[in-house]
Amino acid sequence: MSGIELSTPFLDTDADQLSFTLGRPAREALAVRDLHVGGLEVQLRLLGASHQVFAGPVRETVACLPGVAGGLPDSAVQEFDDWNYHFSACVEHFTAARFSEQVALIRRRSDESPEALYGMFPGSAEAVTALTVERHSTGLGWRTWHTYPQSRQIVATHTRLEAR
């Protein structure tokens, strides 16, 4: 299971609405995928307002949240138990043609990954939230993409969780 056609419209309409938080409880999810990766239980959660990833002691939320100011940090570092956590995010703007190419690449990469989940929101096949998990020798990492066809923006995040 990778790609899912979602019936609920997305709640965030611009990259600037996304915020980054750690430790938040589970939010209502449109789709969930449970995995066991690198010795940890991992849960990928697609939200109408973007995503959550729960991996071991980490509860990462990148979403449009009521009462939380939008804007993603370029990076964030934290220690959890015996783990080092590093998050990074970037927002890119594309021409119409390049945006379509990038969304197709994200979907293909997600389809090819055995540990991925992505959803396509109604109204545009290019309105996608995608999450993939990667194993590393000292832990694991995940990548996410949030695409905004109306502004041709793509938010890409990369997180690494490594044993200390």
Side-chain angles (χ1 to χ4, degrees), residues 126-148:
E126 293 183 336
V128 172
T129 297
L131 303 92
T132 62
V133 179
E134 307 159 333
R135 299 169 196 261
H136 298 290
S137 61
T138 59
L140 62 118
W142 55 90
R143 294 182 184 274
T144 74
W145 297 270
H146 306 267
T147 69
Y148 298 94

Side-chain angles (χ1 to χ4, degrees), residues 11 21 24-30 32 43 45-49 51-52 54 59 61 63-66:
L11 298 177
T21 59
R24 292 240 175 206
R27 300 190 53 85
E28 184 176 340
L30 303 176
V32 175
Q43 187 175 78
R45 304 174 56 80
L46 287 178
L47 310 177
H51 86 261
Q52 287 184 303
F54 299 161
R59 296 172 82 78
T61 302
C64 175
L65 298 170

Side-chain angles (χ1 to χ4, degrees), residues 69-163:
L72 294 174
D74 291 336
S75 66
V77 177
Q78 178 125 4
E79 292 181 358
F80 290 94
D81 302 329
D82 295 328
W83 298 93
N84 289 322
Y85 170 91
H86 183 265
F87 169 88
S88 62
C90 70
V91 179
E92 293 187 73
H93 300 265
F94 295 93
T95 64
R98 187 77 173 125
F99 179 82
S100 295
E101 290 171 6
Q102 289 299 304
V103 172
L105 180 66
I106 291 164
R107 289 179 58 174
R108 186 169 48 256
R109 180 178 182 171
S110 299
D111 282 332
E112 292 170 355
S113 172
E115 296 162 334
L117 175 65
Y118 73 93
M120 296 148 298
F121 290 88
S124 173
E126 293 183 336
V128 172
T129 297
L131 303 92
T132 62
V133 179
E134 307 159 333
R135 299 169 196 261
H136 298 290
S137 61
T138 59
L140 62 118
W142 55 90
R143 294 182 184 274
T144 74
W145 297 270
H146 306 267
T147 69
Y148 298 94
Q150 62 278 31
S151 60
R152 294 188 311 272
Q153 293 176 302
I154 297 178
V155 176
T157 73
H158 182 226
T159 302
R160 288 188 66 109
L161 187 60
E162 297 178 320

